[in-house]
Amino acid sequence: MTGSATTRQVPVNQSSSSGFIGRAILVLIISFIVYSLLSAYFPASTDSIAPDESGSLKEDQVSLVTSAVAFENDRLKVYRTVSSNSGKIKKKSELIGEFSLAWSGEKLSVQSKSDQQPSSSRPTDARDLSITWSNGGSSLTVTTLPQSFINSRFLSCHRAVLTTAAKESASLCLELPAASVYGGGAAFDQRWPINSQSMPSQAYVSNDFAELTGAKRSDLWGGFVERLWLTSRGLLVHVDDATPLSVGQEADRRLCLTATPDDEAYLWRSNPRDYLNVTICAADSAKEAYLAAHSWLYTRPTSSPDRRMLREPIWCTWARHKTAVAQSDVESLANDVTRLGFPASQIEIDDRYTINYGDLAWDPIKFPNPAEMTAKLKYIGHRVTTWIVPFFNKNTSAYDEAAAAGYLLIERVNDNNNKSADILWWQGVGGQLDPTNPSAVSWFANRLVTFRQQFGIESFKFDAGEVYYLRGARTQAPLEAPMQFTTAYVQQVAAKFGGAVEVRAGYRTQSVPVATRMFDKDSHWGGRNGLRSIVPNALMLSMAGYHFVMPDMIGGNAYSEDSMEGARPERELYIRWMQLSSFLPIVQFSIAPWDYDQEVTDIALKTLKLRAEVYIPALEAALTQLFSTGEPVTRPLWWASDGTVDDVRLWTVDDQFLVGDSLLVAPVIRQSSVARDILLPSGRWKDGYSGRLVDGPLLLKDHPAKLDMVPHFIRV
């Protein structure tokens, strides 16, 4: 917000009555004296988590969670109790989440309760209490998962299986007003938390926002769609991979999970299932839910992408030159980067440097001597990467070779016709690599290796990979779930080319140490895929377990909000975008600072220096934590909560974030602002510019944020 450069401090629970404060202080002094006298005669007890003298946690200090479910007033309700190892109750039974049933049949009623294992048509990993509600055709069966299956003492879980009779539909809907909800999939209009987001119900698979099928970008899930949701009450919701899942959301009302086996996305599966299979867990907190989920349900990374790519920015040709890029443009960009004193991890040559899409043959007019070009760039310290897609347009020899060998996706028909499918993508019609076919992957990878060796290319930017491009097509062998297509593209193709790789889609690929790129951003200030969407998008990816985030190109792609065409981003927008990007793991320029003026160039150099001195040490420390404990690199503000009165505000902050334990970042994301409000969690914080120490929880009003500043605080 625009305002005074003088910070006003507002304690979160500030009182307006000085007389009241005086009386409160007197009461505190008397209480302290009484407490001191009593402490001399009676031993103290505590529920805080701290080791004893041997370094081990005391029995009463470890939280154990138990949960219970009930079907009350047509809703499935989840209750949680927290106790210590010794059985001491820390939190009495409390409602932490509820689900409604949206369905087309009659009202459900309790059909049976038993201690027997569910029937063979249900998951067989639950062996405890089973309760089934039914209307005679459709049924909801909830079973308690044994602790040995969960493999976490910090979770208590149930499995909910919803089946429907023929020609009926049913959804299990998480009621949103009960808590703040996080996770789920990437969206064009990304929100944090996701409560206020709206999305029509649709197959929950990775999509491209290119609008090739007529669907609005704002009505599609994006390239990352993990089946995991967490809430501020410690509720965890996870849907198994084999469920033919559709997800829709009514803003501030409910998030609905539906089994849709007849949806086109799920028609070609190796082991078709037609029921909804949901795991519902209770944890002591949102933080514990996150850590348990990424220990039990996912594989976290054990290494990072190329460290040079983390430390220094990428310089991409796309937004600056689009498809008109030529060798002279690339050499000029690299020379300017070096001449003006900017660091670079790599120069990235984007679309279109080849004569066609598929043959990997340089355009001889635009790039007369590519090998000489890469040698020149390496001599002045730059690596070179190039843009790659898994598509082969029909006018290429690569298409003919791949189609003849059976390396492409084939038409989705019920007979034995293995004809290559025609795939509509944003640069034409052609075939698409089948990343689930080992022979196809080997052929494709060998072509890239040869290209890399011949022209001195370091690595590649892998575009596409979404299930969106399986429309009307299928893999040679049926998949158990369509999202395995995206998984294969990242794990079997992109991951073969080292740590200097970037991808824009993923599913269960958190452990792959590559850059995770947000979808092409539009060049405006707003939350609909503009600047204000970046922090919510980064936090969503973090909750999904993707930590090596690249917020796309600084300033966006020079697209407008309503069109893939546009103009260079305005000056102030570019500066604020650059500042925010510099406090996220991977920075990418395209439009250059010197395309504006000297002041923008100076601010860019100053910001990158700040990144090197402040952000990179915090990033390195956060990576160490990630690899050892699983804690995320980029964290929501509530991660720093200590359970005090600041909690309520922390759950919904969508324009600040933490880097590891030590750094709080509050970028400016609103136009014409030279000051902004900043919420500090509990603890002592040092202003990154003035060095002034402040104690949280505290709301700083109108904190200075001049055009060349990125407000940040360091925990001390």
Side-chain angles (χ1 to χ4, degrees):
M1 62 174 285
T2 304
S4 167
T6 302
T7 301
R8 292 185 289 119
Q9 300 182 10
V10 182
V12 174
N13 55 347
Q14 185 183 55
S15 172
S16 61
S17 171
S18 60
F20 174 82
I21 293 174
R23 290 191 296 272
I25 292 173
L26 179 60
V27 170
L28 286 173
I29 292 172
I30 294 172
S31 299
F32 176 75
I33 293 171
V34 173
Y35 172 80
S36 300
L37 291 172
L38 291 173
S39 297
Y41 295 97
F42 298 98
S45 63
T46 178
D47 284 337
S48 62
I49 304 298
D52 60 19
E53 292 180 358
S54 67
S56 302
L57 289 176
K58 298 177 181 178
E59 192 174 68
D60 277 352
Q61 294 174 326
V62 179
S63 295
L64 300 179
V65 179
T66 56
S67 61
V69 296
F71 200 61
E72 303 168 351
N73 300 321
D74 295 331
R75 290 194 175 186
L76 179 68
K77 298 187 177 182
V78 184
Y79 295 87
R80 174 191 62 197
T81 302
V82 182
S83 60
S84 66
N85 264 355
S86 64
K88 179 181 178 181
I89 299 297
K90 292 186 170 185
K91 293 180 182 177
K92 294 181 180 180
S93 179
E94 58 181 331
L95 179 66
I96 64 168
E98 51 186 295
F99 297 81
S100 59
L101 284 166
W103 55 294
S104 60
E106 300 175 7
K107 185 175 181 179
L108 297 180
S109 60
V110 175
Q111 180 187 53
S112 65
K113 294 185 179 182
S114 72
D115 293 326
Q116 303 300 315
Q117 186 172 312
S119 67
S120 59
S121 65
R122 304 286 193 272
T124 59
D125 46 30
R127 298 178 179 275
D128 205 348
L129 177 65
S130 172
I131 305 176
T132 299
W133 292 271
S134 175
N135 64 3
S138 300
S139 66
L140 172 66
T141 299
V142 180
T143 56
T144 303
L145 293 178
Q147 208 65 33
S148 58
F149 174 74
I150 302 169
N151 196 29
S152 172
R153 66 193 308 178
F154 303 109
L155 284 180
S156 177
C157 299
H158 300 269
R159 177 65 49 80
V161 176
L162 181 60
T163 60
T164 56
K167 298 183 180 180
E168 288 188 0
S169 63
S171 303
L172 192 63
C173 301
L174 176 63
E175 294 298 311
L176 297 176
S180 294
V181 183
Y182 313 96
F188 182 81
D189 187 11
Q190 194 77 57
R191 304 294 178 90
W192 181 268
I194 68 170
N195 296 55
S196 62
Q197 202 162 283
S198 293
M199 190 71 71
S201 185
Q202 63 195 273
Y204 195 60
V205 296
S206 52
N207 283 295
D208 185 347
F209 289 145
E211 298 185 336
L212 298 177
T213 61
K216 293 181 179 179
R217 293 191 289 170
S218 57
D219 287 345
L220 295 173
W221 296 111
F224 295 87
V225 283
E226 296 298 334
R227 299 177 168 205
L228 174 70
W229 293 265
L230 310 171
T231 81
S232 55
R233 303 295 302 277
L235 187 72
L236 181 157
V237 180
H238 181 262
V239 182
D240 86 321
D241 292 353
T243 291
L245 179 65
S246 284
V247 178
Q249 183 173 334
E250 298 176 58
D252 298 316
R253 291 193 61 198
R254 54 190 182 177
L255 174 79
C256 289
L257 313 174
T258 311
T260 54
D262 295 330
D263 190 283
E264 180 189 2
Y266 298 111
L267 290 179
W268 191 264
R269 292 177 290 154
S270 60
N271 184 24
R273 301 181 188 179
D274 58 2
Y275 55 81
L276 182 68
N277 187 349
V278 185
T279 299
I280 302 169
C281 300
D284 191 15
S285 65
K287 186 187 301 186
E288 290 293 350
Y290 172 90
L291 292 172
H294 287 281
S295 173
W296 172 36
L297 298 169
Y298 298 95
T299 302
R300 66 174 182 251
T302 57
S303 61
S304 73
D306 177 82
R307 289 301 177 103
R308 186 176 172 187
M309 193 163 71
L310 292 173
R311 293 193 307 267
E312 301 167 353
I314 297 169
W315 298 82
C316 179
T317 63
W318 175 248
R320 203 176 193 223
H321 299 290
K322 297 295 196 299
T323 57
V325 64
Q327 181 172 330
S328 58
D329 299 318
V330 176
E331 292 179 353
S332 175
L333 172 63
N335 288 330
D336 286 343
V337 168
T338 301
R339 176 178 58 85
L340 294 170
F342 283 88
S345 63
Q346 55 217 45
I347 304 295
E348 185 174 86
I349 305 173
D350 213 296
D351 183 21
R352 160 180 188 177
Y353 58 92
T354 56
I355 55 175
N356 56 44
Y357 294 105
D359 282 339
L360 284 180
W362 294 86
D363 185 321
I365 305 299
K366 297 166 67 179
F367 289 86
N369 198 332
E372 180 182 278
M373 173 190 67
T374 58
K376 286 180 181 178
L377 268 56
K378 285 185 178 182
Y379 180 75
I380 60 175
H382 299 302
R383 303 180 298 183
V384 179
T385 59
T386 61
W387 173 80
I388 293 293
V389 289
F391 305 110
F392 308 88
N393 281 4
K394 285 190 168 184
N395 61 341
T396 65
S397 59
Y399 174 86
D400 295 336
E401 181 182 353
Y407 295 156
L408 304 177
L409 298 180
I410 57 179
E411 291 182 344
R412 188 181 291 180
V413 292
N414 293 322
D415 55 26
N416 293 322
N417 177 13
N418 287 330
K419 181 182 177 182
S420 297
D422 289 344
I423 305 297
L424 173 65
W425 66 294
W426 65 92
Q427 293 290 23
V429 177
Q432 181 174 7
L433 178 77
D434 181 353
T436 68
N437 180 342
S439 297
V441 170
S442 178
W443 169 80
F444 187 68
N446 288 338
R447 294 176 75 245
L448 294 182
V449 168
T450 299
F451 180 78
R452 183 170 66 175
Q453 294 173 343
Q454 185 176 357
F455 297 105
I457 302 300
E458 176 73 20
S459 192
F460 302 100
K461 168 185 177 176
F462 287 93
D463 221 340
E466 297 91 350
V467 173
Y468 182 88
Y469 292 103
L470 273 175
R471 300 182 320 277
R474 65 174 176 87
T475 53
Q476 294 280 347
L479 303 175
E480 183 178 7
M483 283 301 295
Q484 291 172 343
F485 176 82
T486 294
T487 304
Y489 184 62
V490 176
Q491 289 184 342
Q492 306 304 322
V493 180
K496 290 182 180 293
F497 293 91
V501 162
E502 66 175 86
V503 297
R504 75 172 197 187
Y507 182 72
R508 288 194 169 277
T509 54
Q510 293 91 339
S511 62
V512 181
V514 297
T516 298
R517 179 172 68 87
M518 297 180 191
F519 186 79
D520 299 14
K521 292 293 182 184
D522 301 334
S523 299
H524 62 85
W525 289 89
R528 290 171 54 83
N529 205 43
L531 176 61
R532 282 207 296 274
S533 71
I534 290 179
V535 174
N537 211 163
L539 292 173
M540 182 283 300
L541 288 168
S542 183
M543 290 297 97
Y546 295 96
H547 306 286
F548 313 122
V549 174
M550 175 194 295
D552 201 38
M553 300 165 200
I554 289 171
N557 286 253
Y559 302 150
S560 68
E561 185 172 2
D562 300 314
S563 171
M564 299 298 277
E565 302 299 327
R568 188 173 70 186
E570 61 178 278
R571 184 177 184 272
E572 182 192 0
L573 173 65
Y574 180 86
I575 291 171
R576 294 307 194 185
W577 204 305
M578 172 177 58
Q579 292 169 339
L580 169 54
S581 295
S582 294
F583 280 81
L584 289 170
I586 299 171
V587 175
Q588 186 178 64
F589 285 94
S590 185
I591 295 170
W594 54 91
D595 289 338
Y596 293 89
D597 53 48
Q598 187 60 48
E599 184 186 23
V600 176
T601 302
D602 290 342
I603 291 175
L605 288 168
K606 178 180 178 180
T607 302
L608 292 176
K609 184 174 183 291
L610 185 66
R611 172 182 172 85
E613 294 175 349
V614 176
Y615 177 77
I616 294 301
L619 173 64
E620 294 287 354
L623 288 173
T624 299
Q625 272 193 309
L626 169 66
F627 302 145
S628 61
T629 68
E631 293 183 82
V633 171
T634 304
R635 304 176 185 176
L637 236 58
W638 52 256
W639 200 271
S641 169
D642 67 352
T644 59
V645 292
D646 63 347
D647 285 4
V648 174
R649 295 191 185 192
L650 296 182
W651 292 117
T652 57
V653 175
D654 64 355
D655 60 355
Q656 297 177 220
F657 56 92
L658 301 168
V659 181
D661 285 331
S662 62
L663 181 62
L664 183 148
V665 186
V668 176
I669 58 172
R670 286 174 172 77
Q671 191 172 13
S672 303
S673 297
V674 292
R676 62 155 295 165
D677 296 348
I678 299 175
L679 181 62
L680 297 178
S682 298
R684 174 157 290 187
W685 300 89
K686 182 175 74 171
D687 188 317
Y689 287 102
S690 70
R692 184 169 61 98
L693 297 178
V694 288
D695 291 321
L698 189 70
L699 177 63
L700 300 178
K701 299 287 291 183
D702 300 324
H703 188 77
K706 294 187 298 183
L707 188 60
D708 64 346
M709 297 174 65
V710 193
H712 62 280
F713 289 78
I714 301 165
R715 188 191 289 274
V716 295

